[in-house]
Short mmCIF file of all heavy atoms in Angstrom, two decimals:
data_model
loop_
_atom_site.label_atom_id
_atom_site.label_comp_id
_atom_site.label_asym_id
_atom_site.label_seq_id
_atom_site.Cartn_x
_atom_site.Cartn_y
_atom_site.Cartn_z
N PRO F 708 3.90 52.16 -33.57
CA PRO F 708 5.05 53.07 -33.68
C PRO F 708 5.08 54.10 -32.54
O PRO F 708 6.15 54.44 -32.05
CB PRO F 708 4.83 53.76 -35.04
CG PRO F 708 3.98 52.82 -35.81
CD PRO F 708 3.13 52.11 -34.81
N GLU F 709 3.91 54.56 -32.12
CA GLU F 709 3.86 55.51 -31.01
C GLU F 709 4.38 54.87 -29.72
O GLU F 709 5.16 55.48 -28.98
CB GLU F 709 2.44 56.02 -30.79
CG GLU F 709 2.34 56.99 -29.64
CD GLU F 709 0.92 57.43 -29.33
OE1 GLU F 709 -0.03 56.97 -30.00
OE2 GLU F 709 0.76 58.23 -28.39
N ASP F 710 3.97 53.63 -29.44
CA ASP F 710 4.42 52.94 -28.24
C ASP F 710 5.93 52.74 -28.26
O ASP F 710 6.61 52.95 -27.25
CB ASP F 710 3.72 51.58 -28.10
CG ASP F 710 2.24 51.72 -27.81
OD1 ASP F 710 1.81 52.78 -27.31
OD2 ASP F 710 1.50 50.76 -28.09
N THR F 711 6.45 52.33 -29.40
CA THR F 711 7.90 52.12 -29.53
C THR F 711 8.66 53.43 -29.32
O THR F 711 9.66 53.47 -28.61
CB THR F 711 8.22 51.54 -30.92
OG1 THR F 711 7.46 50.35 -31.11
CG2 THR F 711 9.69 51.22 -31.06
N PHE F 712 8.15 54.50 -29.94
CA PHE F 712 8.78 55.81 -29.80
C PHE F 712 8.76 56.26 -28.34
O PHE F 712 9.77 56.73 -27.80
CB PHE F 712 8.07 56.81 -30.71
CG PHE F 712 8.74 58.16 -30.79
CD1 PHE F 712 10.11 58.28 -30.87
CD2 PHE F 712 7.97 59.31 -30.82
CE1 PHE F 712 10.71 59.53 -30.97
CE2 PHE F 712 8.57 60.56 -30.91
CZ PHE F 712 9.94 60.67 -30.97
N TRP F 713 7.63 56.06 -27.67
CA TRP F 713 7.53 56.46 -26.27
C TRP F 713 8.49 55.68 -25.38
O TRP F 713 9.11 56.24 -24.49
CB TRP F 713 6.10 56.31 -25.77
CG TRP F 713 5.99 56.57 -24.30
CD1 TRP F 713 5.72 55.67 -23.32
CD2 TRP F 713 6.21 57.82 -23.62
NE1 TRP F 713 5.74 56.28 -22.09
CE2 TRP F 713 6.04 57.60 -22.24
CE3 TRP F 713 6.53 59.10 -24.05
CZ2 TRP F 713 6.18 58.60 -21.30
CZ3 TRP F 713 6.68 60.10 -23.10
CH2 TRP F 713 6.50 59.85 -21.75
N LEU F 714 8.62 54.38 -25.62
CA LEU F 714 9.54 53.58 -24.82
C LEU F 714 10.98 54.06 -24.99
O LEU F 714 11.75 54.11 -24.03
CB LEU F 714 9.42 52.10 -25.19
CG LEU F 714 8.12 51.42 -24.75
CD1 LEU F 714 8.06 50.00 -25.28
CD2 LEU F 714 7.98 51.44 -23.24
N ASP F 715 11.34 54.44 -26.22
CA ASP F 715 12.69 54.97 -26.46
C ASP F 715 12.88 56.31 -25.75
O ASP F 715 13.92 56.56 -25.14
CB ASP F 715 12.94 55.14 -27.96
CG ASP F 715 13.03 53.81 -28.68
OD1 ASP F 715 13.26 52.78 -28.01
OD2 ASP F 715 12.85 53.79 -29.92
N VAL F 716 11.86 57.18 -25.83
CA VAL F 716 11.94 58.50 -25.19
C VAL F 716 12.04 58.35 -23.68
O VAL F 716 12.86 58.99 -23.02
CB VAL F 716 10.72 59.35 -25.59
CG1 VAL F 716 10.57 60.57 -24.71
CG2 VAL F 716 10.80 59.75 -27.04
N LYS F 717 11.22 57.48 -23.14
CA LYS F 717 11.20 57.28 -21.69
C LYS F 717 12.53 56.70 -21.20
O LYS F 717 13.02 57.08 -20.14
CB LYS F 717 10.05 56.36 -21.32
CG LYS F 717 9.75 56.31 -19.86
CD LYS F 717 8.49 55.52 -19.62
CE LYS F 717 8.24 55.35 -18.14
NZ LYS F 717 7.07 54.54 -17.87
N ALA F 718 13.11 55.81 -21.97
CA ALA F 718 14.40 55.22 -21.58
C ALA F 718 15.51 56.27 -21.61
O ALA F 718 16.39 56.28 -20.74
CB ALA F 718 14.73 54.05 -22.50
N ALA F 719 15.48 57.16 -22.62
CA ALA F 719 16.51 58.19 -22.73
C ALA F 719 16.32 59.28 -21.66
O ALA F 719 17.29 59.83 -21.15
CB ALA F 719 16.48 58.81 -24.11
N ASP F 720 15.08 59.60 -21.33
CA ASP F 720 14.73 60.58 -20.30
C ASP F 720 15.43 61.92 -20.54
O ASP F 720 16.09 62.46 -19.65
CB ASP F 720 15.05 60.03 -18.91
CG ASP F 720 14.39 60.83 -17.81
OD1 ASP F 720 13.30 61.40 -18.06
OD2 ASP F 720 14.94 60.90 -16.69
N THR F 721 15.28 62.46 -21.76
CA THR F 721 15.88 63.75 -22.09
C THR F 721 14.79 64.74 -22.46
O THR F 721 13.70 64.36 -22.90
CB THR F 721 16.85 63.63 -23.27
OG1 THR F 721 16.13 63.21 -24.43
CG2 THR F 721 17.98 62.66 -22.97
N LEU F 722 15.11 66.02 -22.31
CA LEU F 722 14.16 67.07 -22.69
C LEU F 722 13.84 67.00 -24.18
O LEU F 722 12.67 67.12 -24.57
CB LEU F 722 14.75 68.44 -22.36
CG LEU F 722 14.90 68.77 -20.89
CD1 LEU F 722 15.69 70.04 -20.71
CD2 LEU F 722 13.54 68.89 -20.25
N GLU F 723 14.86 66.81 -24.98
CA GLU F 723 14.66 66.76 -26.43
C GLU F 723 13.75 65.61 -26.82
O GLU F 723 12.92 65.73 -27.71
CB GLU F 723 16.00 66.64 -27.16
CG GLU F 723 16.90 67.85 -27.03
CD GLU F 723 17.66 67.88 -25.70
OE1 GLU F 723 17.77 66.83 -25.04
OE2 GLU F 723 18.12 68.97 -25.33
N GLY F 724 13.92 64.49 -26.15
CA GLY F 724 13.08 63.34 -26.44
C GLY F 724 11.61 63.62 -26.16
O GLY F 724 10.74 63.32 -26.98
N TYR F 725 11.33 64.21 -24.99
CA TYR F 725 9.95 64.54 -24.65
C TYR F 725 9.38 65.58 -25.61
O TYR F 725 8.23 65.50 -26.03
CB TYR F 725 9.84 65.02 -23.21
CG TYR F 725 10.20 63.96 -22.21
CD1 TYR F 725 11.16 64.18 -21.24
CD2 TYR F 725 9.58 62.71 -22.23
CE1 TYR F 725 11.50 63.21 -20.32
CE2 TYR F 725 9.91 61.73 -21.32
CZ TYR F 725 10.88 61.98 -20.37
OH TYR F 725 11.20 61.01 -19.47
N GLN F 726 10.18 66.57 -25.98
CA GLN F 726 9.73 67.58 -26.93
C GLN F 726 9.46 66.95 -28.30
O GLN F 726 8.45 67.27 -28.95
CB GLN F 726 10.76 68.70 -27.05
CG GLN F 726 10.82 69.55 -25.79
CD GLN F 726 11.98 70.52 -25.78
OE1 GLN F 726 12.92 70.39 -26.57
NE2 GLN F 726 11.93 71.49 -24.89
N ASN F 727 10.33 66.05 -28.73
CA ASN F 727 10.12 65.38 -30.02
C ASN F 727 8.86 64.53 -29.99
O ASN F 727 8.11 64.48 -30.96
CB ASN F 727 11.32 64.51 -30.38
CG ASN F 727 12.53 65.33 -30.73
OD1 ASN F 727 12.43 66.49 -31.11
ND2 ASN F 727 13.71 64.73 -30.59
N TYR F 728 8.61 63.86 -28.86
CA TYR F 728 7.39 63.05 -28.76
C TYR F 728 6.16 63.95 -28.87
O TYR F 728 5.22 63.64 -29.59
CB TYR F 728 7.36 62.27 -27.44
CG TYR F 728 6.05 61.54 -27.28
CD1 TYR F 728 5.84 60.31 -27.90
CD2 TYR F 728 5.00 62.09 -26.57
CE1 TYR F 728 4.63 59.65 -27.79
CE2 TYR F 728 3.78 61.44 -26.45
CZ TYR F 728 3.61 60.23 -27.07
OH TYR F 728 2.40 59.59 -26.98
N LEU F 729 6.18 65.08 -28.15
CA LEU F 729 5.02 65.98 -28.19
C LEU F 729 4.83 66.60 -29.56
O LEU F 729 3.70 66.89 -29.96
CB LEU F 729 5.16 67.06 -27.12
CG LEU F 729 4.96 66.57 -25.69
CD1 LEU F 729 5.30 67.66 -24.69
CD2 LEU F 729 3.53 66.08 -25.49
N GLN F 730 5.90 66.81 -30.31
CA GLN F 730 5.76 67.32 -31.67
C GLN F 730 5.17 66.26 -32.59
O GLN F 730 4.34 66.55 -33.44
CB GLN F 730 7.11 67.80 -32.21
CG GLN F 730 7.56 69.09 -31.60
CD GLN F 730 8.95 69.49 -32.06
OE1 GLN F 730 9.63 68.74 -32.75
NE2 GLN F 730 9.36 70.69 -31.69
N ALA F 731 5.59 65.03 -32.41
CA ALA F 731 5.10 63.94 -33.26
C ALA F 731 3.68 63.52 -32.89
O ALA F 731 2.87 63.19 -33.75
CB ALA F 731 6.04 62.75 -33.19
N TYR F 732 3.38 63.49 -31.60
CA TYR F 732 2.07 63.02 -31.11
C TYR F 732 1.52 64.02 -30.09
O TYR F 732 1.51 63.76 -28.89
CB TYR F 732 2.21 61.65 -30.46
CG TYR F 732 2.77 60.59 -31.37
CD1 TYR F 732 4.10 60.22 -31.31
CD2 TYR F 732 1.95 59.94 -32.29
CE1 TYR F 732 4.62 59.24 -32.15
CE2 TYR F 732 2.46 58.96 -33.13
CZ TYR F 732 3.79 58.62 -33.05
OH TYR F 732 4.29 57.66 -33.87
N PRO F 733 1.05 65.19 -30.54
CA PRO F 733 0.59 66.21 -29.58
C PRO F 733 -0.59 65.78 -28.73
O PRO F 733 -0.77 66.27 -27.62
CB PRO F 733 0.24 67.41 -30.45
CG PRO F 733 0.11 66.87 -31.83
CD PRO F 733 0.92 65.62 -31.91
N VAL F 734 -1.41 64.88 -29.23
CA VAL F 734 -2.53 64.37 -28.44
C VAL F 734 -2.44 62.85 -28.33
O VAL F 734 -3.44 62.15 -28.32
CB VAL F 734 -3.90 64.80 -29.03
CG1 VAL F 734 -4.14 66.27 -28.82
CG2 VAL F 734 -4.00 64.43 -30.49
N GLY F 735 -1.22 62.35 -28.25
CA GLY F 735 -0.98 60.91 -28.18
C GLY F 735 -1.33 60.34 -26.82
O GLY F 735 -1.68 61.06 -25.88
N ARG F 736 -1.19 59.04 -26.73
CA ARG F 736 -1.53 58.33 -25.48
C ARG F 736 -0.66 58.77 -24.32
O ARG F 736 -1.09 58.76 -23.17
CB ARG F 736 -1.35 56.82 -25.67
CG ARG F 736 -2.41 56.21 -26.53
CD ARG F 736 -2.27 54.72 -26.69
NE ARG F 736 -1.74 54.09 -25.48
CZ ARG F 736 -1.22 52.88 -25.46
NH1 ARG F 736 -1.14 52.18 -26.56
NH2 ARG F 736 -0.77 52.36 -24.34
N PHE F 737 0.57 59.17 -24.58
CA PHE F 737 1.51 59.50 -23.52
C PHE F 737 1.84 60.99 -23.48
O PHE F 737 2.79 61.40 -22.84
CB PHE F 737 2.80 58.70 -23.71
CG PHE F 737 2.56 57.22 -23.84
CD1 PHE F 737 2.64 56.60 -25.08
CD2 PHE F 737 2.23 56.46 -22.73
CE1 PHE F 737 2.40 55.25 -25.21
CE2 PHE F 737 1.99 55.10 -22.86
CZ PHE F 737 2.07 54.49 -24.09
N ALA F 738 1.03 61.81 -24.16
CA ALA F 738 1.29 63.25 -24.23
C ALA F 738 1.25 63.90 -22.85
O ALA F 738 2.10 64.73 -22.53
CB ALA F 738 0.31 63.93 -25.18
N SER F 739 0.28 63.54 -22.04
CA SER F 739 0.20 64.15 -20.71
C SER F 739 1.40 63.77 -19.86
O SER F 739 1.92 64.59 -19.10
CB SER F 739 -1.11 63.76 -20.02
OG SER F 739 -1.18 62.37 -19.84
N GLU F 740 1.86 62.53 -19.98
CA GLU F 740 3.04 62.09 -19.23
C GLU F 740 4.28 62.83 -19.72
O GLU F 740 5.11 63.26 -18.91
CB GLU F 740 3.23 60.58 -19.39
CG GLU F 740 4.47 60.03 -18.74
CD GLU F 740 4.40 60.00 -17.22
OE1 GLU F 740 3.30 60.16 -16.67
OE2 GLU F 740 5.45 59.82 -16.60
N ALA F 741 4.43 63.00 -21.02
CA ALA F 741 5.58 63.72 -21.56
C ALA F 741 5.56 65.18 -21.10
O ALA F 741 6.59 65.74 -20.70
CB ALA F 741 5.59 63.64 -23.09
N PHE F 742 4.39 65.79 -21.14
CA PHE F 742 4.27 67.18 -20.70
C PHE F 742 4.59 67.29 -19.21
O PHE F 742 5.29 68.21 -18.78
CB PHE F 742 2.86 67.70 -20.99
CG PHE F 742 2.68 69.14 -20.65
CD1 PHE F 742 3.20 70.13 -21.46
CD2 PHE F 742 2.00 69.50 -19.50
CE1 PHE F 742 3.05 71.46 -21.13
CE2 PHE F 742 1.85 70.83 -19.16
CZ PHE F 742 2.37 71.82 -19.98
N ARG F 743 4.08 66.36 -18.41
CA ARG F 743 4.35 66.37 -16.98
C ARG F 743 5.85 66.26 -16.69
O ARG F 743 6.39 66.97 -15.85
CB ARG F 743 3.61 65.22 -16.29
CG ARG F 743 3.74 65.23 -14.77
CD ARG F 743 3.09 64.03 -14.12
NE ARG F 743 3.72 62.78 -14.48
CZ ARG F 743 4.88 62.34 -13.98
NH1 ARG F 743 5.54 63.07 -13.12
NH2 ARG F 743 5.38 61.18 -14.34
N ARG F 744 6.53 65.40 -17.43
CA ARG F 744 7.98 65.25 -17.23
C ARG F 744 8.74 66.50 -17.63
O ARG F 744 9.73 66.87 -16.99
CB ARG F 744 8.49 64.02 -17.97
CG ARG F 744 8.04 62.74 -17.32
CD ARG F 744 8.58 61.53 -18.06
NE ARG F 744 8.05 60.32 -17.50
CZ ARG F 744 8.81 59.37 -16.95
NH1 ARG F 744 10.11 59.50 -16.91
NH2 ARG F 744 8.25 58.30 -16.45
N LEU F 745 8.28 67.17 -18.68
CA LEU F 745 8.93 68.43 -19.06
C LEU F 745 8.74 69.48 -17.97
O LEU F 745 9.67 70.22 -17.65
CB LEU F 745 8.35 68.95 -20.39
CG LEU F 745 8.88 68.29 -21.65
CD1 LEU F 745 8.12 68.80 -22.86
CD2 LEU F 745 10.36 68.57 -21.81
N VAL F 746 7.55 69.57 -17.41
CA VAL F 746 7.30 70.53 -16.35
C VAL F 746 8.15 70.20 -15.12
O VAL F 746 8.74 71.09 -14.51
CB VAL F 746 5.79 70.56 -15.99
CG1 VAL F 746 5.54 71.38 -14.73
CG2 VAL F 746 4.99 71.13 -17.16
N GLU F 747 8.22 68.93 -14.76
CA GLU F 747 9.04 68.54 -13.62
C GLU F 747 10.50 68.91 -13.83
O GLU F 747 11.16 69.43 -12.93
CB GLU F 747 8.94 67.04 -13.37
CG GLU F 747 7.66 66.60 -12.72
CD GLU F 747 7.58 65.09 -12.58
OE1 GLU F 747 8.51 64.38 -13.04
OE2 GLU F 747 6.58 64.62 -12.02
N GLN F 748 11.00 68.67 -15.03
CA GLN F 748 12.40 68.97 -15.29
C GLN F 748 12.63 70.48 -15.32
O GLN F 748 13.71 70.94 -14.96
CB GLN F 748 12.85 68.31 -16.58
CG GLN F 748 12.95 66.81 -16.43
CD GLN F 748 13.51 66.12 -17.65
OE1 GLN F 748 13.89 66.77 -18.63
NE2 GLN F 748 13.57 64.80 -17.62
N SER F 749 11.63 71.26 -15.74
CA SER F 749 11.80 72.71 -15.72
C SER F 749 11.84 73.22 -14.29
O SER F 749 12.55 74.17 -13.98
CB SER F 749 10.68 73.40 -16.51
OG SER F 749 9.45 73.28 -15.84
N ARG F 750 11.07 72.59 -13.40
CA ARG F 750 11.10 72.98 -11.98
C ARG F 750 12.43 72.63 -11.34
O ARG F 750 12.86 73.28 -10.40
CB ARG F 750 9.97 72.30 -11.22
CG ARG F 750 8.63 72.88 -11.56
CD ARG F 750 7.54 72.25 -10.75
NE ARG F 750 6.27 72.80 -11.15
CZ ARG F 750 5.11 72.20 -10.95
NH1 ARG F 750 5.08 71.02 -10.37
NH2 ARG F 750 4.00 72.77 -11.34
#
Side-chain angles (χ1 to χ4, degrees):
E709 179 184 1
D710 292 338
T711 304
F712 187 41
W713 174 249
L714 290 175
D715 292 341
V716 166
K717 192 173 175 183
D720 195 29
T721 63
L722 292 171
E723 294 80 18
Y725 295 126
Q726 290 170 345
N727 290 338
Y728 175 82
L729 288 172
Q730 286 176 353
Y732 302 100
V734 289
R736 288 182 34 197
F737 307 104
S739 62
E740 176 72 14
F742 184 76
R743 185 185 65 77
R744 288 181 185 242
L745 280 174
V746 170
E747 284 176 357
Q748 289 185 3
S749 70
R750 288 183 182 158

